[in-house]
């Protein structure tokens, strides 16, 4: 992605996605607009390479090894994950806009630190995540906790 | 300091001379065996290589227990240190955690040999590092609201302990520190004003000039540690007084601290406010002792007030599942009393650390305690913040009894009936609120349940049913491992959760858990330690202390193979600078090689298992761990976890 394209994308992204982009992964989007309402676009990268990058770049550090813990990616309502170009724009955006004090703890990723190709691979890997989250009824410990809480308090 | 040469015939007196005469005198001091050997050292020239002589047969025999102590009468029959231990015993001190040091060998010998039975109340607890000795006192102090002792070697031990002392100070936790001073021995281990090294972050200190003064100083240190603001106090014990033959010395009577409570006028006003209100509320922060918690419950019950609690943040607060704890039937409160917490009408808040600023003779100006420096901006300018209009700087706990008595006086039968009905409504509403919050909480905790590495929530969720019917204490800070106890567990005892480090100083969790486990052992409790790997490695030797003293401590590693908090900070910084996040692991992760905590614990003599990466294996391991600690045997489970 060249600089001009980046700028254009950034501008579009900034106008269209201002709140969610700045809020970062996993955080609430503007009222009434959730990712779930839009079908996600295609992922063109290599998920196997993305897996290595997800680790090497430390993505797991906040988003968990499977995208299910910490600031979750699975089930995230963030629109930054709904399309590949949107995702890349998100990674680039704050590096360009607010290099010193980004609005979230999510690092900035200018192109010279993470190529478009690498970003696409990471995106493909994130999109390959499968939930390991069972239904509540299938987790005995959590049901035991609820049952116990129904009992009256004893000092 | 001019000292009588009472003990000058001992090896000490001799070695002092030897050390002075030889630059390499340390060699003689290190071997520290006999006068004969020391003489060899003294004869050495400066250029001679330092050779530690092999042990003599007599010495081997002695170390192996093959010889009895000399038949001759002991030089000192009633040493001063016996009285020091007697004072500790009379104060109810249960434990003295210490790493041995010659500067207090008199006291140490008295702990292990004086009294019938010896080495009980206080018991000598062997610490492998002074940091963990103080952390133990910190954990014990938070669980029990009273001091145990950490005993520190002169000059060196105190410096090893410094950060832990500072943290206990910041955390306003009572403890008594005893520091040995021996001017007749290693000069590098003595100092004119030993306590000065940590005066800026202790509450009180003294160095007795006589034995009687030393005894009185221990008592005063105990009382000062207990009085608000609670904190570490320190007494320097001179070797001369530890060793001296006691003649006609009487142990002074202990005077417990007189802690001022609220004046009668405002007591009446508060009681009236609580009784007249349609919907009173009491916000409860951290009180000082178990008794304070009991009184807070009594007050809330007597006026039918709902309460808030800090029990999910730390010790000594209102029982979380008490029927009055929660938002209640109506959230329109017309009278809010704060007990060590903000309250709209009255807030009783005991004196804080800023009242000790005159002790900061080094002018360190610790952040958050000292007033902001001139011209400070941002957070530094915030300082301690101004007290609100209704804030009364008075110890809440000491005020409770008076308020309760006044309420009882003012209550009419009619009022009692109204209060009873209101309390019943609150109880129903609070239970409903609780079930709703719990149902929401468990939904979130499902996430990543079957993932590997293991989700931190799963540890808390699977452990809770195994311990909920035990008498337990969660001693480690839980912030870095998700803090899932707050939503899933019931914190009903003053010691249920001991809270965070106090000053966010790492290395605290393990030692504090050992200290809590000391308290737990003699009270039939078990201690849970959810142990961050980074925190573990500052002073891992505390594991041995738990094994050696057979403490009921279950350690579950939150092993994310990193100082993960710092990893995230560095990642963020690399990102801010646009230099790529791929090197952020340098200096922030504990990989290559991975540390095997189960082996480590086993090496220290503690039963252990792991590393566990398969979440389906976790529950059985937790059961084994809980069973073990219920039998009084500490246990460690290494769990490879999601980072957050
Ligand atoms: C004595 C001390 N040294 C360094 C720090 C800086 N520090 C803050 S958090 C942290 C990492 C903690 O790692 P760990 O205990 O494993 O918890 P994690 O964040 O990995 O869950 C460090 C080193 C500190 N707070 N205290
Ligand atoms: Mg860690």
């Amino acid at each position: 992605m060249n600089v001009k394209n980046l700028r254009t994308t950034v501008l579009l992204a900034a106008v269209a996605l201002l709140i969610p982009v700045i809020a970062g992964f996993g955080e609430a989007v503007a009222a009434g607009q959730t990712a779930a309402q839009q079908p996600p676009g295609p992922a063109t990268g290599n998920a196997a390479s993305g897996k290595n990058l997800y680790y090497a770049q430390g993505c797991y550090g906040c988003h968990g090894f499977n995208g299910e813990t910490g600031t979750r990616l699975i089930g995230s309502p963030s629109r930054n994950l709904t399309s590949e170009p949107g995702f890349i724009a998100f990674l680039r955006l704050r590096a360009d806009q607010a290099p010193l004090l980004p609005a979230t703890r999510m690092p900035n990723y200018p192109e010279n630190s993470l190529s478009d190709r690498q970003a696409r691979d990471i995106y493909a890997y994130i999109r390959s995540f499968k939930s390991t989250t069972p239904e509540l009824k299938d987790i005995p410990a959590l049901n035991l906790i609820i049952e116990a809480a129904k009992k009256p308090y004893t000092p | 300091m001019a000292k009588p040469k009472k003990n000058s015939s001992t090896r000490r007196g001799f070695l002092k001379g030897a050390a002075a005469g030889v630059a390499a005198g340390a060699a003689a001091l290190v071997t520290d065996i006999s006068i004969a050997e020391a003489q060899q050292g003294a004869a050495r020239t400066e250029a001679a290589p330092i050779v530690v002589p092999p042990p003599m047969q007599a010495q081997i025999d002695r170390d192996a227990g093959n010889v009895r102590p000399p038949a001759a009468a002991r030089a000192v029959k009633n040493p001063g240190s016996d009285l020091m231990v007697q004072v500790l015993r009379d104060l109810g001190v249960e434990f003295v955690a210490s790493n041995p040091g010659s500067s207090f060998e008199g006291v140490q010998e008295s702990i292990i040999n004086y009294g019938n039975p010896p080495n009980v109340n206080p018991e000598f607890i062997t610490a492998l590092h002074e940091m963990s000795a103080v952390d133990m006192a910190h954990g014990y102090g938070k669980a029990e609201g009273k001091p145990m002792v950490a005993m520190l070697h002169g000059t060196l031990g105190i410096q090893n302990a410094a950060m832990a002392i500072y943290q206990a100070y910041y955390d306003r936790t009572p403890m008594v520190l005893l520091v040995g001073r021996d001017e007749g021995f290693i000069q590098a281990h003595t100092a004119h004003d030993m306590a000065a090294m940590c005066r800026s972050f202790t509450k009180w200190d003294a160095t007795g000039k006589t034995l009687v003064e030393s005894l009185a100083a221990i008592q005063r240190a105990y009382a000062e540690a207990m009085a608000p603001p609670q904190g570490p106090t320190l007494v320097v014990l001179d070797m001369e007084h530890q060793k001296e033959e006691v003649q006609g010395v009487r142990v002074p009577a202990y005077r417990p601290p007189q802690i001022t409570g609220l004046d009668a006028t405002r007591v009446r006003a508060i009681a009236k406010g609580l009784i007249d209100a349609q919907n009173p509320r009491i916000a409860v922060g951290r009180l000082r002792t178990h008794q304070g918690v009991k009184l807070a419950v009594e007050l809330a019950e007597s006026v039918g007030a709902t309460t808030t609690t800090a029990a999910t943040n730390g010790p000594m607060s209102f029982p979380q599942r008490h029927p009055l704890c929660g938002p209640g039937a109506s959230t329109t409160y017309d009278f809010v009393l704060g007990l060590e917490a903000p309250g709209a009408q009255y807030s009783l808040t005991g004196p804080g650390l800023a009242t000790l600023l005159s002790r900061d003779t080094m002018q360190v100006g610790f952040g958050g305690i000292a007033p902001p420096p001139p011209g400070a901006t941002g957070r530094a300018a915030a300082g301690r913040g101004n007290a609100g209009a209704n804030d009364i700087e008075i110890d809440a706990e000491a005020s409770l009894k008076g308020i309760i008595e006044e309420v009882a006086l003012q209550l009419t039968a009619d009022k009692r009936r109204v209060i009873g009905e209101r309390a019943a409504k609150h109880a129903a509403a609070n239970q409903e609120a609780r079930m709703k919050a719990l149902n929401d909480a468990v939904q979130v905790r499902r996430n990543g349940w079957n993932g590997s590495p293991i989700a931190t929530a799963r540890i808390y969720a699977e452990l809770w049913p195994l311990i909920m019917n035990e008498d337990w204490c969660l001693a480690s800070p839980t912030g870095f491992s998700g803090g899932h106890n707050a939503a899933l567990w019931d914190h009903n005892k003053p010691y249920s959760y001991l809270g965070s480090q106090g000053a966010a100083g790492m290395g605290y969790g393990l030692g504090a858990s050992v200290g809590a486990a000391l308290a737990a052992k003699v009270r039939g409790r078990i201690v849970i330690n959810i142990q961050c790997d980074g925190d573990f490695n500052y002073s891992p030797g505390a594991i041995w202390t738990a094994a050696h003293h057979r403490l009921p401590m279950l350690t579950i590693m939150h092993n994310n193979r990193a100082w993960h908090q710092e990893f995230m900070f560095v990642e963020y910084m690399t990102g801010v600078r646009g230099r790529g996040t791929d090197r952020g692991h340098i200096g922030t992760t504990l990989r290559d090689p991975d540390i095997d905590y189960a082996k480590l614990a086993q090496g220290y003599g503690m039963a252990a298992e792991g590393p566990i990466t398969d979440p389906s294996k976790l529950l059985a391991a937790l059961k084994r761990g809980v069973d073990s600690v219920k039998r009084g045997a500490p246990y460690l489970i290494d769990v490879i976890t999601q980072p957050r």
Side-chain angles (χ1 to χ4, degrees):
Chain A
M1 190 184 276
N2 64 35
V3 172
K4 188 158 173 280
N5 278 346
L6 174 65
R7 289 264 158 75
T8 314
T9 313
V10 163
L11 197 69
L12 286 174
V15 172
L17 305 171
L18 190 63
I19 295 166
V21 164
I22 291 186
F25 284 153
E27 293 176 30
V29 295
Q33 302 178 318
T34 62
Q37 291 165 341
Q38 309 165 355
T44 65
N46 176 335
S49 149
K51 180 175 182 177
N52 292 333
L53 285 163
Y54 187 83
Y55 180 69
Q57 296 289 336
C59 311
Y60 73 92
C62 296
H63 304 292
F65 281 90
N66 196 34
E68 282 188 294
T69 49
T71 306
R72 278 176 284 132
L73 301 177
I74 295 183
S76 162
S78 170
R79 287 171 40 166
N80 300 316
L81 289 170
T82 52
S83 81
E84 194 177 82
F87 175 70
I88 297 175
F90 168 70
L91 294 182
R92 309 285 184 236
L93 176 68
R94 286 161 311 112
D96 192 54
Q97 296 265 305
L100 278 177
L101 287 173
T104 75
R105 290 232 148 241
M106 171 81 188
N108 300 311
Y109 290 91
E111 198 175 356
N112 61 4
S113 76
L114 190 78
S115 69
D116 279 9
R117 188 185 158 158
Q118 288 175 312
R120 278 196 295 272
D121 290 352
I122 292 175
Y123 183 70
Y125 179 55
I126 290 174
R127 288 282 300 274
S128 78
F129 282 151
K130 303 256 175 318
S131 169
T132 72
T133 300
E135 292 296 318
L136 185 60
K137 66 176 172 43
D138 297 325
I139 305 180
L142 294 178
N143 287 289
L144 282 173
I145 292 174
I146 291 177
E147 279 316 303
K150 293 176 184 162
K151 290 187 199 138
Y153 166 76
T154 43
Chain B
M1 189 201 246
K3 285 177 58 155
K5 290 271 173 279
K6 268 187 211 136
N7 300 321
S8 57
S9 64
T10 64
R11 63 190 165 93
R12 292 290 150 92
F14 178 83
L15 285 174
K16 188 180 176 189
V22 194
L29 300 177
V30 168
T31 58
D32 194 11
I33 302 301
S34 69
I35 289 174
E37 283 169 17
Q39 277 170 331
Q40 289 173 11
R44 231 180 256 135
T45 66
E46 274 192 44
I50 297 169
V51 180
V52 179
M56 301 172 301
Q57 188 55 43
Q59 191 195 339
I60 293 170
D61 285 347
R62 190 191 65 190
D63 289 355
N66 291 340
V67 290
R68 297 186 161 278
R74 279 193 292 168
V76 178
K77 281 194 189 130
N78 299 305
S81 55
D82 283 0
L83 287 189
M84 294 171 183
V85 171
Q86 187 61 49
V87 166
L88 295 177
R89 186 163 295 173
D90 293 346
L91 287 167
V93 172
E94 294 181 300
F95 304 105
V96 176
S98 182
N99 186 246
S102 55
S103 57
F104 52 76
E105 63 187 16
V107 180
Q108 181 164 353
E109 196 277 339
S110 289
I111 293 173
I112 61 174
N113 278 332
Y114 165 76
N116 186 17
N119 200 29
V120 176
N121 298 329
E123 179 185 358
F124 193 93
I125 302 300
T126 314
L128 280 68
H129 190 293
E130 289 81 358
M131 175 186 183
S132 51
V134 173
D135 285 338
M136 285 174 210
H138 195 164
Y140 177 97
K142 273 161 113 174
E144 292 308 309
K146 66 173 195 162
M148 71 172 249
V149 168
M151 188 157 62
L152 309 169
H153 186 41
T155 308
L156 310 183
I158 195 173
Q159 292 191 76
N160 257 358
M163 189 283 271
I165 298 172
Y166 169 67
Q167 180 143 266
Y169 171 81
Y170 217 101
D171 205 14
R172 293 186 298 160
T173 301
M175 66 175 65
V176 172
L177 306 164
L178 298 179
V179 184
R181 184 173 71 171
D182 187 353
E183 300 212 312
F185 195 35
I186 304 171
Q187 288 302 293
H189 299 190
T190 189
H192 302 312
D193 187 3
M194 196 78 80
M197 277 181 278
C198 50
R199 185 159 293 135
S200 295
F201 47 95
T202 48
K203 189 186 168 189
W204 183 87
D205 72 80
T207 306
K209 286 199 244 9
T210 62
L211 173 60
V212 178
E213 271 187 34
S214 298
L215 301 175
I218 296 172
Q219 293 177 327
R220 171 95 187 265
Y222 191 96
E224 292 285 351
M226 287 294 281
Q230 295 187 313
T233 56
L234 188 151
V235 179
V236 179
L237 297 173
D238 244 311
M239 183 52 72
E240 300 292 335
H241 309 138
Q242 297 176 42
K243 284 187 171 172
E244 80 178 49
E245 177 80 52
V246 176
Q247 279 163 343
V249 171
R250 284 203 26 231
V251 177
Y254 173 63
R255 281 186 304 176
Q258 300 298 314
I259 302 169
T260 314
L262 197 60
D263 59 273
T265 309
R266 285 186 290 192
V267 161
R268 274 195 295 278
I270 288 176
K272 185 169 186 326
L274 286 167
I275 290 173
D276 289 352
Q278 301 303 303
N279 191 19
R281 186 162 178 80
I282 303 175
V284 187
R286 180 170 158 194
L287 302 167
R288 284 183 289 105
T289 69
H290 296 191
Q291 176 64 12
V293 174
K294 222 175 127 217
L295 292 171
V297 171
E298 206 179 317
L299 178 62
E301 288 176 351
S302 69
V303 296
T306 59
T307 70
T308 66
T309 180
T312 56
N313 295 326
M316 306 298 172
S317 196
F318 205 84
Q320 188 189 6
R321 300 305 180 206
H322 186 285
L324 287 171
C325 190
S330 157
T331 52
T332 310
Y333 311 112
D334 50 354
F335 187 92
V336 182
L337 167 67
L339 303 174
E340 307 295 344
Q345 272 64 38
Y346 288 95
S347 169
L348 311 185
T349 310
L353 294 175
T355 58
L356 305 176
L357 275 176
S358 63
R359 288 181 59 79
D360 185 13
T361 46
M362 287 195 289
Q363 305 270 324
V364 181
F366 291 115
I369 302 172
T377 54
R379 287 185 70 177
R384 254 176 52 82
N386 294 323
N390 299 319
D391 284 5
I392 305 173
E393 190 180 281
I394 196 87
D395 183 68
E397 181 168 329
S399 307
L400 275 168
K401 206 157 166 282
I403 300 173
I404 291 167
E405 284 167 5
E406 182 60 29
V407 163
L409 280 178
Q410 292 188 22
L411 273 180
T412 59
D414 243 16
K415 274 284 175 199
R416 280 182 212 272
R417 190 182 41 76
V418 172
I419 285 169
E421 288 165 10
R422 183 167 69 213
K425 279 191 200 136
H426 284 328
N430 284 339
Q431 176 63 5
E432 200 180 313
R434 176 203 180 184
M435 292 311 296
K436 184 182 177 319
L438 192 58
N439 279 309
D440 292 347
V442 294
Q443 289 297 345
V444 179
R445 269 62 185 194
R446 292 183 302 130
N447 291 314
W449 185 263
N450 288 324
S452 174
I454 293 170
T456 53
R458 184 160 179 169
I459 296 177
Y460 288 84
E462 293 206 313
L463 181 58
W464 175 231
L466 302 179
I467 62 164
M468 57 169 63
N469 296 319
E470 307 295 329
D471 189 8
W472 55 272
C473 163
L474 174 60
S476 53
T478 62
F480 288 160
S481 54
H484 304 288
N485 57 302
L488 300 182
W489 298 17
D490 297 344
H491 305 74
N492 290 336
K493 297 274 165 61
Y495 49 81
S496 289
Y497 174 47
L498 302 188
S500 66
Q501 300 85 355
M506 297 300 117
Y508 154 95
L510 184 55
S513 298
V514 171
L518 288 167
K521 183 183 178 177
V522 289
R523 291 164 178 81
R525 282 180 216 146
I526 60 171
V527 161
I528 305 299
N529 169 32
I530 298 183
Q531 175 65 54
C532 295
D533 55 338
D535 181 275
F536 181 98
N537 285 296
Y538 290 84
S539 198
I543 285 284
W544 183 86
T545 301
H548 179 70
H549 292 283
R550 299 186 173 56
L551 302 183
M553 177 177 85
L554 174 58
T555 296
I556 301 154
M557 295 301 300
H558 163 44
N559 183 0
N560 54 19
R561 294 184 172 144
W563 296 278
H564 193 74
Q565 192 58 47
E566 298 302 319
F567 174 78
M568 291 192 293
F569 286 146
V570 173
E571 286 284 84
Y572 167 74
M573 192 47 69
T574 62
V576 164
R577 295 174 179 179
R579 300 203 239 200
T581 51
D582 54 330
R583 293 159 63 79
H585 64 90
I586 297 174
T588 57
T589 51
L590 282 151
R591 37 167 116 134
D592 188 21
D594 292 337
I595 298 172
D596 187 333
Y597 293 94
K599 271 199 186 139
L600 235 156
Q602 286 159 359
Y604 278 122
M606 183 181 290
E609 63 177 288
I612 296 176
T613 52
D614 177 352
S616 68
K617 302 256 159 66
L618 179 65
L619 180 60
L622 293 173
K623 280 185 180 150
R624 284 188 289 273
V626 171
D627 283 350
S628 176
V629 295
K630 277 164 67 180
R631 289 192 314 269
Y635 200 86
L636 180 143
I637 305 168
D638 185 9
V639 183
I640 308 301
T641 48
Q642 294 284 345
R644 282 288 179 269

